[in-house]
Amino acid sequence: MRNTHLISRAEALTESRRCLGCYDAPCVQACPAGVNVPMFIRRLLEDNIQGSAHLIYQANPLAVTCGWVC
């Protein structure tokens, strides 16, 4: 059974491009861990997986667990 919360790499890239066009980035204020979400997405878009993971884990060492909740 496929997890309906997962998206393909192509879908993720499309969504990341759309997201980076956001003017006020409400996700930053909404993130209880204080993650710089636009920078995280930009690093993913640049295929900088390690850099994006590092950014997340700097703000929240329990990122994997919190990601499932968020």
Side-chain angles (χ1 to χ4, degrees), residues 10-42:
E11 291 169 321
L13 290 174
T14 298
E15 288 300 313
S16 68
R17 287 185 191 98
R18 181 185 62 78
C19 181
L20 289 176
C22 179
Y23 174 72
D24 59 355
C27 55
V28 175
Q29 289 80 29
C31 180
V35 173
N36 183 339
V37 179
M39 182 59 71
F40 168 74
I41 291 173
R42 183 172 307 285

Side-chain angles (χ1 to χ4, degrees), residues 6-70:
L6 298 178
I7 61 175
S8 72
R9 180 178 176 82
E11 291 169 321
L13 290 174
T14 298
E15 288 300 313
S16 68
R17 287 185 191 98
R18 181 185 62 78
C19 181
L20 289 176
C22 179
Y23 174 72
D24 59 355
C27 55
V28 175
Q29 289 80 29
C31 180
V35 173
N36 183 339
V37 179
M39 182 59 71
F40 168 74
I41 291 173
R42 183 172 307 285
R43 289 180 182 180
L44 288 176
L45 186 59
E46 294 168 350
D47 205 28
N48 182 355
I49 305 303
Q50 278 190 313
S52 61
H54 181 72
L55 185 72
I56 292 287
Y57 284 110
Q58 277 184 317
N60 181 5
L62 301 174
V64 173
T65 303
C66 292
W68 284 105
V69 174
C70 189

